[in-house]
């Protein structure tokens, strides 16, 4: 990705191009998903589930450059804000799961960059399988789960 001694403007172009390609890839994966509800979140899970698997990208370099120059990550920021607006729409109660899933995946991605031995492959698969399962929840099922959880909490009091 970054060649040693590359000028900052070249690095910035590389980072911006990577992020734009990532956003396009997320869109392609979501469009290919046969089940529309949660498709964008499942694409996000796949893209960010394991920084080690994305060895063609310098993940730490990407993160540090994007943090230092957020304008380079504009495409991803715009995508997340659009998805957040859709997912936080009160007419779509289960949409909130999309926000939760993306935040969890962002956290897993950063965790991988900081300590790629924190989770074993089996643990990572368990985490991403649960997050993926959440993307299939309907509004009705989410309401049931929330009511069941409230009932469980009331029983414990």
């Amino acid at each position: 990705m970054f060649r040693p001694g590359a000028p900052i403007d070249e690095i910035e172009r590389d980072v911006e191009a990577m992020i734009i390609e990532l956003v396009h890839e997320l869109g392609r994966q979501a469009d290919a998903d046969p089940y529309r509800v949660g498709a964008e979140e499942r694409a996000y899970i796949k893209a960010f589930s394991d920084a080690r698997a994305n060895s063609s990208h310098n993940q730490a370099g990407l993160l540090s450059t994007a943090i230092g120059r957020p304008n380079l990550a504009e495409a991803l920021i715009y995508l997340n804000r659009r998805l957040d607006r859709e997912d936080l729409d009160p007419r779509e109660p289960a949409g909130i799961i999309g926000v939760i899933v993306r935040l969890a995946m962002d956290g897993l991605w950063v965790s991988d960059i900081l300590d790629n031995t924190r989770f074993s492959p089996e643990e990572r698969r368990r985490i991403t399988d649960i997050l993926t399962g959440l993307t299939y929840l309907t509004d009705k099922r989410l309401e049931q789960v929330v009511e069941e959880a409230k009932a469980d909490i009331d029983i414990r009091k």
Side-chain angles (χ1 to χ4, degrees):
M1 180 178 127
F2 307 122
R3 65 179 177 81
I8 191 68
D9 61 327
E10 182 180 322
I11 293 170
E12 288 177 348
R13 281 192 307 273
D14 286 349
V15 168
E16 189 170 33
M18 276 181 48
I19 291 173
I20 289 169
E21 177 52 33
L22 171 64
V23 169
H24 288 302
E25 180 58 28
L26 289 169
R28 287 189 293 269
Q29 286 182 18
D31 289 344
D33 193 317
Y35 190 68
R36 297 304 315 145
V37 174
E40 290 173 310
E41 285 71 33
R42 287 187 293 280
Y44 204 87
I45 290 168
K46 186 174 181 180
F48 290 96
S49 64
D50 190 352
R52 292 174 296 182
N54 297 318
S55 58
S56 63
H57 297 47
N58 178 339
Q59 300 288 317
L62 175 62
L63 178 62
S64 64
T65 304
I67 289 171
R69 293 182 174 78
N71 60 304
L72 302 178
E74 240 173 41
L76 189 57
I77 290 168
Y78 174 78
L79 172 68
N80 272 305
R81 288 190 178 173
R82 178 183 62 79
L83 294 173
D84 290 347
R85 277 192 309 278
E86 293 170 8
D87 291 343
L88 293 171
D89 184 333
R91 294 169 295 180
E92 302 287 339
I96 191 72
I97 291 170
V99 175
I100 294 165
V101 165
R102 286 190 306 281
L103 289 171
M105 290 312 304
D106 290 347
L108 182 59
W109 182 68
V110 171
S111 176
D112 279 348
I113 291 169
L114 297 175
D115 176 8
N116 68 5
T117 63
R118 181 175 178 184
F119 300 110
S120 70
E122 295 80 22
E123 292 166 334
R124 175 172 280 95
R125 193 171 22 264
R126 183 171 176 224
I127 291 166
T128 57
D129 285 353
I130 289 170
L131 291 171
T132 300
L134 289 173
T135 69
Y136 290 100
L137 282 180
T138 62
D139 292 344
K140 184 176 180 176
R141 183 62 187 125
L142 177 62
E143 289 171 11
Q144 292 171 340
V145 169
V146 169
E147 289 304 315
E148 290 168 10
K150 286 180 183 174
D152 287 345
I153 291 168
D154 289 341
I155 291 171
R156 293 184 195 148
K157 287 184 179 179

